[in-house]
């Protein structure tokens, strides 16, 4: 439950952050949330990965569906990808990876700096 | 895992994450910053315009004086209703920028030679050439004139403010996609940029430079042969101003020509310059009411320009008190360039009279700051051109200016073929001409006299302006500012140290060739020779005859012309060249060739000479003819550095003469080129055909008409458009050139107008309006134009969205 909630927290906060801040603020959000909520490194990575990934996926799909895939179709061609679906996958993966890395780093730092053993 | 190792790994991972972000946040080589680009919130995704986007709205915009309505129809064509002239041009700028900002930015950068600043070193040769030509110098001169006149000043400044008004509202998210891909941002607009855009068009249309090649060729062969291959005029021309038109007595006498040896220098093969570019052309014509079914004149125009995306043109209607005009506008410039208003209509084709000459400059020995002119040592003036280059230090080029114009080529800037001599260029476009004012008045013309007064400010590029009005008048003017030249002045490179070679008196523009309501009942132009020999002033130019022969032939036989007939003529793919050459070529074909390719030879014998999209005969003929033309002249001209070969028309005339039959060489060449052509055709069929289609050998596949995005990205471009025609047919759809705007306007009681262009109203590749007219255009279709009355409310059901722009208190 806590895991799901933390994903939702990353999703919501990173979405909000991007309204005013540059794209890489998603890494900072994932980092911050993981620092706040202690969890095992693998779980932290999954949280950041899923949180940011889902946020990017949601926004991307909203744009893509209302646009009838016009833009994704062209962008897929720019990146020599066979179809627009793969362009969505690549996009979401980049965001998710950055989010996951941010959270993973934070969980390890937190463990390294924590007072208990 | 211990605490220490956790900390260590944590620090390493944090650093790695930062590194990843850093890498994704900056461009690598030609790749854009991937993180920024892929970010769905602010990156390229934000350019995915919803297909049901609502363009309606109410906006408070600082700079708007009174409320302005913008009605968009279903094709996203804006109909702008302003209550004063300033607002009309302000909102035109605002709307142009909303849909075409990046294109406007790039085209004016190209004009000014500032492309390297955003794409890097690869554009440096292009930028240097623009600076050497004096493009910014030219635009600055025109800007001065433009700002000195209240009407053009109003246009330039209001339009500029409108663009900047839009940019002030532009967020990073809403930035055009290309900025995100290329990683730069727009800068504020200035009136100079609009002036630059018009000079860019002028340069595109008056850039022909046969002077240098002809200078060489006239020395390289006997005079009679030179005259035979490169006649000064095509005597078989069906000129713009019909033969037999009586010209007024000239007010200026022909100037005295200096002696040949004083006027012209001589070149050796090592001195050479640019390759000839041809195929730019356009058609316009008007059929008088007594030869149309409706009784009203019909005006048609299709200017042939580069087929780029976003398209060069943007369709628009502009209304203010005293103005209600509709047509094609250039994003980057105010007003309507080609179109009609509630009284008159007009269309333009390039006039091609030579207004660009080269001068050989003799620098004073041992003093690089002075040159010889009329026996005196004269100081060069200089202009320092600083070119910013992305990721590299600025490049500085000091360009010397002479009494004739800027020194285009010298030892610091050689043409790609290594021109060794110092040449200055004298161009009408360098002068402070005010075409903006002409556009202002043409858009408001109420009849023939006011239209003629308006075009007296249209000096460069010279255009054949076809005209029709609702009173039934039709006319055509070979309009532009020309110099009263002595015979052959500027046909070859001139000696720049002799004052006799200077451009002197200007021909009064009212004496430009024109005709009003000619007896034959129509006027037309297609870049052919402007007049017959009875025109009193001497001129030369790079004229193209083929399309005009066909247009004048069709129009000459037409009685009750309808709008459909006119559209059909714009789509006409009949090749006069094929009609004249193919029977002769077929007659020389030997048995061996005809038997091995008997199917195609039989088909060619029955062919209707139409370069239709689906025609295989067209492919064979065109490749065969090109090979024949090449083989015929290659031996003679291949060694000529500039590769100026006799024109296609001239070649056709020479090959048709009976003398040719005496030369065995002709049938030998015909057969050899046929064999070569068939090899190419078979190769084409193989390459272009796939499992899905066997269209490989069809004409449209072979010629590959494409609409290419300005970045050349295939993802934003369209190729192999299914369209017929070629440069020598009325429908002149070539590879990257073609009818860039097709318009047919019937000037009756109710104006009935149709148009189409190969693009769409939006410049955004993520919009459904990006290339929405392209297939219609290729298939020969038209859009019916909604010409709205000049009124504050519009019941027209075609209006889909209403945008209201209000002054901000």
């Amino acid at each position: 439950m806590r895991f799901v909630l933390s994903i939702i927290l990353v999703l919501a906060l990173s979405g909000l952050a991007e309204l005013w801040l540059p794209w890489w603020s998603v890494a900072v959000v994932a980092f911050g949330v993981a620092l706040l909520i202690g969890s095992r490194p693998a779980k932290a990575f999954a949280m950041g990965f899923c949180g940011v990934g889902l946020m990017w996926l949601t926004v991307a799909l909203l744009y893509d569906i209302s646009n009838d895939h016009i833009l994704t179709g062209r962008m897929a061609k720019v990146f020599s990808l066979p179809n627009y679906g793969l362009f969505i996958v690549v996009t979401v993966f980049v965001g998710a990876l950055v989010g996951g890395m941010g959270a993973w780093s934070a969980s390890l730092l937190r463990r390294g700096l924590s007072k208990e053993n | 895992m211990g605490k220490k190792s956790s900390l260590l790994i944590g620090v390493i991972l944090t650093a790695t994450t930062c590194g990843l972000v850093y890498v994704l946040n900056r461009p690598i080589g030609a790749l854009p910053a991937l993180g920024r680009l892929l970010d769905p919130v602010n990156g390229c995704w934000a350019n995915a315009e919803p297909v049901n986007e609502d363009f309606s709205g109410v906006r408070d915009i600082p700079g708007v004086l009174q409320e302005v309505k913008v009605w968009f129809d279903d094709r996203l064509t804006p109909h702008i209703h302003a209550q004063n002239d300033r607002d009309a041009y302000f909102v035109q700028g605002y709307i142009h920028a909303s849909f075409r900002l990046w294109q406007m930015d790039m085209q004016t950068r190209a004009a000014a030679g500032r492309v390297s600043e955003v794409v890097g070193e690869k554009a440096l040769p292009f930028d240097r050439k623009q600076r050497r030509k004096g493009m910014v110098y030219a635009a600055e001169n025109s800007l001065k004139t433009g700002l000195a006149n209240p009407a053009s000043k109003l246009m330039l400044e209001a339009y500029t403010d409108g663009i900047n008004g839009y940019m002030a509202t532009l967020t990073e998210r809403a930035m055009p996609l290309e900025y995100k891909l290329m990683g730069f941002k727009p800068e504020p607009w200035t009136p100079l940029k609009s002036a630059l855009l018009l000079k860019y068009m002028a340069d595109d249309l008056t850039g022909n430079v046969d002077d240098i090649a002809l200078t060489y060729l006239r020395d390289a062969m006997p005079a009679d042969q030179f005259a035979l291959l490169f006649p000064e005029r095509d005597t078989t021309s069906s000129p713009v101003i019909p033969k037999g038109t009586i010209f007024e007595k000239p007010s200026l006498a022909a100037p005295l020509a200096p002696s040949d040896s004083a006027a012209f220098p001589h070149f050796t093969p090592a001195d050479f310059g640019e390759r000839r570019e041809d195929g730019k052309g356009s058609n316009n014509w008007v059929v008088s009411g007594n030869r149309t079914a409706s009784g009203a004149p019909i005006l048609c125009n299709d200017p042939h320009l580069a087929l780029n995306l976003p398209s060069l043109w943007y369709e628009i209607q502009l209304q203010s008190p005293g103005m209600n005009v509709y047509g094609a506008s250039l994003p980057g410039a105010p007003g309507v360039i080609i179109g009609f208003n509630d009284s008159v209509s007009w269309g333009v084709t390039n006039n091609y009279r030579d207004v660009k000459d080269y001068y050989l400059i003799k620098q004073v020995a041992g003093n690089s700051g002075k040159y010889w002119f009329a026996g005196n040592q004269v100081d060069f003036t200089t202009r320092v051109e600083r070119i910013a280059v992305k990721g590299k230090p600025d490049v500085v080029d000091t360009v010397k200016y002479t009494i004739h114009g800027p020194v285009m080529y010298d030892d610091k800037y050689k043409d790609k073929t290594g021109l060794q001599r110092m040449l200055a260029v004298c161009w009408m476009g360098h002068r402070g001409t005010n075409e903006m004012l002409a556009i202002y008045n043409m858009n408001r013309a109420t009849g023939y006299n006011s239209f003629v007064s308006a075009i007296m400010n249209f000096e460069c590029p010279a255009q054949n302006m076809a005209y029709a009005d609702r009173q039934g008048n039709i006319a055509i003017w070979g309009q532009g500012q020309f110099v009263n030249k002595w015979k052959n002045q500027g046909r070859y490179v001139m000696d720049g140290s002799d004052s006799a070679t200077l451009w002197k008196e200007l021909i009064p523009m009212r004496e430009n060739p024109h005709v009003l309501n000619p007896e034959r009942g129509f006027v037309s132009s297609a870049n052919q020779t402007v007049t017959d020999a009875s025109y009193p002033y001497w001129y030369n130019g790079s004229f193209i005859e083929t399309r005009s022969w066909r247009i004048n032939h069709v129009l000459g036989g037409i009685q009750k012309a309808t709008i459909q007939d006119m559209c059909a003529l714009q789509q006409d793919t009949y090749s006069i060249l094929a009609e004249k050459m193919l029977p002769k070529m077929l007659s020389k074909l030997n048995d061996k060739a005809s038997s091995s390719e008997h199917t195609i030879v039989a088909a060619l014998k029955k062919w209707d000479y139409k370069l239709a999209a689906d025609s295989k005969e067209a492919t064979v003929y065109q490749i065969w003819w090109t090979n024949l033309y090449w083989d015929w002249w290659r031996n003679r001209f291949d060694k000529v550095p500039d590769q100026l070969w006799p024109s296609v028309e001239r070649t056709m005339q020479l090959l048709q003469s009976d003398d040719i039959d005496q030369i065995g060489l002709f049938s030998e060449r015909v057969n050899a080129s046929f064999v070569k052509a068939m090899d190419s055709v078979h190769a084409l069929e193989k390459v272009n055909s796939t499992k899905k289609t066997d269209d490989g050998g069809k004409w449209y596949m072979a010629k590959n008409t494409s609409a290419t995005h300005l970045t050349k990205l295939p993802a934003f471009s369209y190729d192999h458009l299914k369209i017929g025609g070629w440069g020598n047919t009325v429908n002149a759809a070539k590879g990257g050139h073609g009818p860039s705007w097709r318009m047919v306007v019937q000037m009756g009681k109710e104006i009935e107008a149709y148009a189409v262009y190969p693009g769409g109203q939006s410049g955004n590749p993520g919009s459904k309006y990006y290339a929405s007219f392209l297939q219609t255009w290729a298939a020969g279709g038209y859009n019916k134009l909604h010409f709205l009355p000049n009124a504050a409310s519009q019941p027209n059901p075609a209006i889909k969205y209403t945008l209201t722009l209000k002054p901000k208190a």
Side-chain angles (χ1 to χ4, degrees):
Chain A
M1 193 59 200
R2 206 174 82 139
F3 178 63
V4 174
L5 281 176
S6 63
I7 288 176
I8 294 172
L9 192 66
V10 172
L11 191 157
L13 287 180
S14 62
L16 272 177
E18 275 216 56
L19 290 181
W20 296 279
L21 299 171
W23 71 276
W24 47 263
S25 58
V26 298
V28 180
V29 168
F31 184 91
V33 172
L35 208 59
L36 218 70
I37 309 167
S39 57
R40 284 192 294 110
K43 237 182 174 179
F45 179 84
M47 174 195 76
F49 190 92
C50 294
V52 176
L54 280 174
M55 193 274 278
W56 277 30
L57 179 69
T58 312
V59 178
L61 284 180
L62 282 177
Y63 274 122
D64 188 46
I65 292 164
S66 71
N67 178 243
D68 272 359
H69 326 298
I70 297 171
L71 181 94
T72 44
R74 293 196 198 282
M75 289 306 293
K77 252 183 157 178
V78 170
F79 287 94
S80 310
L81 298 170
N83 58 56
Y84 73 87
L86 265 179
F87 182 68
I88 300 179
V89 171
V90 168
T91 294
V92 171
F93 179 77
V94 168
L97 183 68
V98 169
M101 292 285 288
W104 190 17
S105 318
S107 82
L108 283 161
L109 281 180
R110 182 186 154 112
R111 177 179 288 188
L113 294 168
S114 68
K115 287 190 180 110
E116 323 98 54
N117 217 337
Chain B
M1 197 162 26
K3 265 174 67 171
K4 265 195 189 150
S5 55
S6 289
L7 188 63
L8 184 67
I9 298 173
V11 170
I12 293 171
L13 268 181
T14 310
T16 311
T17 310
C18 290
L20 180 66
V21 166
Y22 178 79
V23 169
L24 291 173
N25 200 42
R26 53 175 300 149
I28 303 162
L31 279 178
L34 278 182
R36 263 188 278 165
L37 182 74
L38 295 179
D39 169 22
V41 183
N42 296 303
C44 68
W45 294 84
N47 299 87
E49 181 182 278
V51 287
N52 58 358
E53 175 79 347
D54 185 0
F55 294 91
S56 295
V58 179
R59 294 181 205 164
D60 294 327
I61 304 291
V64 173
L65 301 177
Q66 289 163 291
E67 187 178 287
V68 179
K69 291 272 185 215
V70 184
W71 298 292
F72 289 100
D73 61 29
D74 46 0
R75 294 184 294 108
L76 212 62
T77 298
H79 305 259
I80 297 172
H81 180 78
Q83 300 178 53
N84 60 74
D85 286 341
R86 199 199 120 81
D87 279 348
Y89 294 118
F90 181 98
V91 174
Q92 187 183 12
Y94 184 94
I95 294 290
H96 274 169
S98 309
F99 294 99
R100 300 289 188 87
L101 183 61
W102 176 82
Q103 167 197 12
M104 290 156 66
D105 190 346
M106 283 311 283
Q107 283 172 343
T108 47
R109 274 179 186 282
R114 287 186 54 206
V115 180
S116 309
E117 200 176 325
V118 295
V119 310
E121 228 170 359
K122 63 180 174 202
L124 197 55
F126 173 82
D127 283 348
R128 282 197 72 189
K129 189 168 185 186
Q130 296 298 83
R131 308 286 181 116
R132 283 276 171 159
K133 275 189 224 165
M135 291 296 288
V136 185
Y137 164 75
E140 283 170 0
N141 287 341
S142 273
L143 182 63
K144 251 180 256 161
T145 322
L147 292 178
N149 176 284
S152 45
K153 181 179 188 324
L154 172 108
M155 272 176 115
L156 278 162
E157 293 185 342
Y159 183 75
T160 299
D161 292 347
I163 297 171
N164 290 330
Y166 171 75
M167 270 200 257
T169 67
L170 191 62
T171 57
E172 174 121 25
R173 189 168 309 167
M175 206 74 84
L177 179 60
E178 294 91 336
Y179 284 113
K180 297 177 185 177
L181 281 167
M182 294 171 72
F184 74 104
K185 290 194 171 133
E187 58 185 16
W189 195 263
T190 58
L192 179 66
K193 286 178 184 268
S194 295
L196 277 164
L197 183 74
L198 294 190
K199 292 298 179 190
Y200 188 62
M201 296 301 295
D203 178 54
D204 189 35
L205 297 170
T206 58
N208 52 302
V209 282
D210 292 349
D211 312 24
I212 300 170
L214 288 173
T215 305
Y216 173 80
L217 289 168
R218 72 198 285 263
D219 287 344
M221 57 182 77
D224 57 334
Q225 221 180 87
F226 178 72
L228 181 76
L229 298 181
F230 300 97
E232 187 185 305
R233 293 278 175 81
D234 189 329
T235 50
T236 63
S237 174
S238 170
V240 175
I241 307 303
K243 278 185 184 161
T245 303
I246 309 295
F247 296 105
E248 285 161 54
K249 206 171 162 289
S251 63
L252 306 177
L256 201 64
S259 79
D260 208 60
S261 57
F264 306 116
H266 301 276
F267 282 167
T268 62
D271 290 330
F272 268 88
E274 295 156 57
R275 201 191 160 93
R276 176 190 171 92
E277 251 184 74
D278 57 12
K280 268 176 215 151
S282 308
N283 310 312
N284 63 10
W285 62 85
V286 188
V287 178
S288 145
N290 55 34
R291 302 188 70 174
T292 64
S294 69
I298 306 178
L299 177 136
C300 308
N301 187 200
D302 55 301
H304 309 159
L305 293 161
L307 301 176
N308 285 328
L309 288 170
S311 166
L312 191 66
W313 300 110
Y314 181 79
E315 195 178 325
I316 204 163
Q317 180 173 7
L318 284 177
Q319 299 181 339
S320 70
M323 171 175 73
N324 185 13
V325 63
Y326 193 118
S329 67
L330 284 173
V336 169
I337 312 292
I338 297 170
F340 56 94
N341 63 24
D342 31 25
S343 310
V344 310
S345 59
W346 70 95
V348 302
T349 68
N350 205 22
N351 176 284
Y352 278 119
R353 267 171 83 169
D354 186 8
V355 292
K356 191 181 220 177
D357 291 336
Y358 285 91
Y359 289 89
L360 186 72
I361 302 301
K362 285 185 191 143
Q363 195 166 283
V364 173
N367 186 346
S368 63
K370 288 181 191 292
Y371 65 99
W372 287 105
F373 180 75
N376 301 315
Q377 299 189 4
V378 182
D379 285 327
F380 286 111
T381 53
T382 56
R383 197 186 152 99
V384 177
E385 299 285 356
R386 179 173 289 277
I387 306 172
V389 183
K390 188 181 173 188
K392 293 267 160 75
D394 290 359
V395 171
V396 176
D397 188 16
T398 304
V399 182
K400 290 173 174 166
Y401 278 68
T402 66
I403 186 167
H404 307 288
V407 171
M408 176 117 190
Y409 302 117
D410 59 17
D411 55 347
K412 291 201 193 63
Y413 181 75
K414 287 180 189 149
D415 186 80
K416 44 187 172 200
T417 49
L419 193 71
Q420 308 286 331
R421 315 286 285 270
M422 186 183 261
L423 289 193
V425 59
C426 179
W427 179 40
M428 189 56 77
H430 283 141
R431 304 194 171 189
T433 60
N434 193 0
E435 286 70 34
M436 208 81 82
L437 182 60
I439 298 291
Y440 180 95
N441 289 316
M442 286 158 78
N443 288 184
R444 288 167 176 78
T446 52
Y448 182 67
N449 289 333
S450 61
F451 182 81
V452 170
S453 303
I455 61 173
M456 290 306 144
N457 280 299
F458 207 103
E459 297 183 68
C460 184
Q463 299 289 299
N464 298 312
M465 297 191 164
Y467 168 92
D469 65 29
R470 284 171 66 197
Q471 282 123 46
N473 294 308
I474 70 167
I476 194 161
W477 277 74
Q479 190 62 1
Q481 181 68 72
F482 304 105
V483 175
N484 184 22
K485 288 180 169 179
W486 37 267
K487 186 173 158 61
N488 284 339
Q489 184 175 8
R491 192 167 181 231
Y492 317 102
V493 173
M494 291 181 281
D495 183 341
S497 64
D498 186 336
S499 64
T501 63
L502 265 183
W503 282 11
K504 293 199 177 102
E505 280 173 312
L506 296 174
I507 300 174
M509 286 174 78
R510 296 259 170 196
E511 294 180 41
N512 279 341
H514 62 272
V515 66
L516 171 67
N517 298 323
E519 207 162 310
R520 68 178 186 183
F522 69 91
V523 295
S524 77
S525 75
N527 316 106
Q528 78 272 39
T529 309
V530 185
T531 62
D532 63 12
S534 69
Y535 184 62
Y537 294 103
W538 182 86
Y539 64 91
N540 69 321
S542 310
F543 305 109
I544 305 159
E545 306 293 335
T546 41
R547 279 173 286 110
S548 69
W549 289 328
R550 174 64 178 169
I551 291 169
N552 288 346
H553 172 77
V554 172
L555 292 180
I558 218 157
Q559 279 314 322
K560 294 194 174 312
T562 62
I563 287 175
Q564 287 72 27
D565 294 336
M566 298 294 96
C567 295
L569 182 52
Q570 285 189 337
Q571 311 299 328
D572 185 276
T573 59
Y574 186 88
S575 170
I576 292 222
L577 206 63
E579 177 202 291
K580 303 258 196 244
M581 281 315 299
L582 187 62
K584 183 141 194 172
M585 285 154 71
L586 284 169
S587 74
K588 300 286 173 200
L589 215 51
N590 60 31
D591 292 344
K592 197 175 147 230
S594 355
S595 60
S596 63
E597 298 286 357
H598 59 93
T599 331
I600 191 69
V601 171
L604 281 172
K605 281 182 176 155
K606 281 185 286 179
W607 184 40
D608 59 5
Y609 308 125
K610 284 186 175 163
L611 299 176
D614 278 327
S615 168
K616 290 196 176 178
E617 294 88 340
T619 309
V620 175
Y621 158 71
Q622 198 63 46
I623 297 178
W624 184 11
W625 162 253
T626 306
N627 274 311
L628 178 61
Y629 175 83
W630 178 262
D631 284 352
W632 191 252
W633 297 122
R634 190 181 48 191
N635 292 338
R636 168 131 220 152
F637 289 100
D638 209 22
K639 297 282 182 306
V640 175
D642 198 38
Q643 309 240 329
L644 177 70
W645 293 10
S647 72
V648 166
E649 290 92 328
R650 191 67 196 143
T651 308
M652 182 188 95
Q653 290 157 0
L654 293 170
L655 292 183
Q656 273 189 301
S657 76
D658 293 334
D659 305 346
I660 285 297
D661 293 331
Q662 312 304 319
I663 313 174
L665 200 60
F666 180 62
S667 70
E668 191 186 303
R669 291 274 158 84
V670 164
N671 281 288
S673 55
F674 179 74
V675 172
K676 240 195 271 177
M678 286 316 298
D679 286 348
S680 307
V681 170
H682 295 315
L684 258 174
E685 283 172 334
K686 234 190 229 161
V687 173
N688 279 341
S689 294
T690 59
K691 278 177 196 150
K692 283 185 214 152
T693 164
D694 62 346
D695 280 8
K698 292 186 176 172
W699 176 230
Y700 81 96
M701 287 298 285
K703 68 168 174 153
N704 188 12
T705 297
S706 310
T708 309
H709 186 261
L710 291 173
T711 59
K712 311 262 186 275
L713 275 174
F716 299 169
S717 309
Y718 294 80
D719 56 16
H720 293 104
L721 293 164
K722 200 165 182 182
I723 184 169
W726 194 237
N728 61 53
T729 68
V730 181
N731 185 357
K734 299 180 69 181
H737 267 84
S740 60
W741 163 260
R742 287 192 185 121
M743 180 178 84
V744 176
V745 189
Q746 180 163 278
M747 295 301 287
K749 218 173 190 178
E750 289 285 318
I751 293 174
E752 200 178 334
Y754 298 82
V756 68
Y757 68 88
Q761 289 289 83
S762 174
N764 175 10
S767 164
K768 76 164 174 181
Y769 300 100
Y770 172 65
S772 47
F773 309 149
L774 193 57
Q775 299 307 335
T776 311
W777 172 84
Y782 291 79
N783 297 310
K784 189 172 182 356
L785 311 187
H786 306 290
F787 182 53
L788 305 180
N790 196 347
S793 71
Q794 300 290 346
N796 195 314
I799 293 169
K800 219 167 157 192
Y801 311 105
T802 302
L803 175 67
T804 307
L805 300 179
K806 287 182 160 170
K808 191 167 183 178

